[in-house]
Structures are given as structure tokens and as C-alpha cells.
């Protein structure tokens, strides 16, 4: 590990990661995303390299390539403003399951919440971005 708890990075890698520093590069704010691909490294022992010691291109590991592609897609999708509610999240607590979401660029007139096709809330105000399901069945 290098100083600051980060893995060892080359000068080029540090420069690539720095483009999201909005204080240093304010013109790129909101237009650039970085995916640190070191997080997707898989050892040669679980990768299809011919000699077991390639140590570059993620050891030709398809799972690494998939993870990198998904992470890049997520990073790019964050730049697309959605005009409808999205980014549904659920969290459990003492009161039940809290559902939360982002409104999008256009606030809907109302929001309907369903569980297994059964209506839980018919016409929540469109600006509302959460709902607590207090009657969640076990499991």
C-alpha cells in the first residue's frame, strides 16, 4: 500500500484518477467519471492465462472485464438526467421497509407503490420520494 491507504499507482494512473478533482479541473465537473479498475483485478490462478504470469490486461479474466464494463456503464448513466422516478432503494428498519427513489427531472402528478402486484399506496404526492411499508411479511 502506498501512503494514504491507496494501492500503489503509477504517475499515469494518478493523473487519470485526478480528472474528477473539481478543484483542479473545474471545467470537467459533471462531465467526467473515473472507474478505478484496480478494484476488479483477479489473480492469475483464477484466470485463463496461458502461462499463469501475464500480470496485465486483468489476466484475461472475463469476470474482470464484465465488472469493469458494468462499473463504467453505471458511471456514465449517472450523467443522464431521468425524467421519471428512478434509483429505487430499500432499507429495513424498526418501522418496516423504507422505499426511497429519485424524482427525476419531471415531478410526476402522483406515485403508486405496489408489492407483488398489490397496491400499497395509490396516489402519493408526486414530490414524495419515500414510502414506509410497515406491513412487510417476514422474509
Amino acid at each position: 500500500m502506498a501512503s494514504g491507504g491507496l494501492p500503489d499507482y503509477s504517475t499515469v494512473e494518478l493523473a487519470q484518477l485526478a480528472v474528477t478533482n473539481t478543484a483542479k479541473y473545474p471545467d470537467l465537473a459533471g462531465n467526467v467519471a473515473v472507474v478505478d479498475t484496480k478494484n476488479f483485478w483477479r489473480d492469475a490462478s483464477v484466470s485463463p492465462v496461458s502461462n499463469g504470469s501475464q500480470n496485465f490486461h486483468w489476466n484475461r479474466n472475463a469476470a474482470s472485464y464484465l465488472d469493469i464494463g458494468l462499473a463504467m456503464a453505471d458511471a456514465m448513466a449517472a450523467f443522464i438526467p431521468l425524467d421519471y422516478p428512478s434509483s429505487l432503494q430499500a432499507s429495513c428498519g424498526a418501522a418496516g421497509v423504507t422505499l426511497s427513489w429519485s424524482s427525476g427531472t419531471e415531478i410526476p402528478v402522483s406515485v403508486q407503490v405496489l408489492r407483488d402486484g398489490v397496491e400499497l399506496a395509490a396516489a402519493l404526492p408526486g414530490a414524495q420520494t419515500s414510502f414506509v411499508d410497515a406491513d412487510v411479511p417476514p422474509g
Side-chain angles (χ1 to χ4, degrees):
M1 288 282 181
S3 62
L6 294 174
D8 291 324
Y9 289 97
S10 70
T11 302
V12 171
E13 290 168 325
L14 290 171
Q16 291 169 329
L17 293 171
V19 298
T20 59
N21 181 339
T22 57
K24 193 171 186 177
Y25 303 105
D27 293 344
L28 300 180
N31 296 310
V32 173
V34 172
V35 173
D36 185 352
T37 60
K38 282 193 184 234
N39 298 326
F40 305 115
W41 178 262
R42 296 213 176 44
D43 191 71
S45 65
V46 294
S47 300
V49 295
S50 57
N51 61 10
S53 63
Q54 183 173 345
N55 290 328
F56 58 91
H57 290 275
W58 299 273
N59 288 319
R60 300 184 205 159
N61 191 296
S64 292
Y65 294 140
L66 175 65
D67 290 343
I68 291 167
L70 291 171
M72 288 181 170
D74 286 344
M76 289 187 292
F79 293 119
I80 301 170
L82 300 174
D83 59 352
Y84 50 86
S86 62
S87 303
L88 181 64
Q89 300 285 320
S91 59
C92 296
V97 174
T98 300
L99 303 173
S100 59
W101 56 89
S102 300
S103 288
T105 57
E106 297 181 23
I107 305 298
V109 174
S110 65
V111 175
Q112 181 183 33
V113 178
L114 306 173
R115 182 188 339 112
D116 296 327
V118 176
E119 186 175 87
L120 299 179
L124 297 175
Q128 186 169 334
T129 58
S130 67
F131 173 80
V132 177
D133 184 354
D135 298 317
V136 178

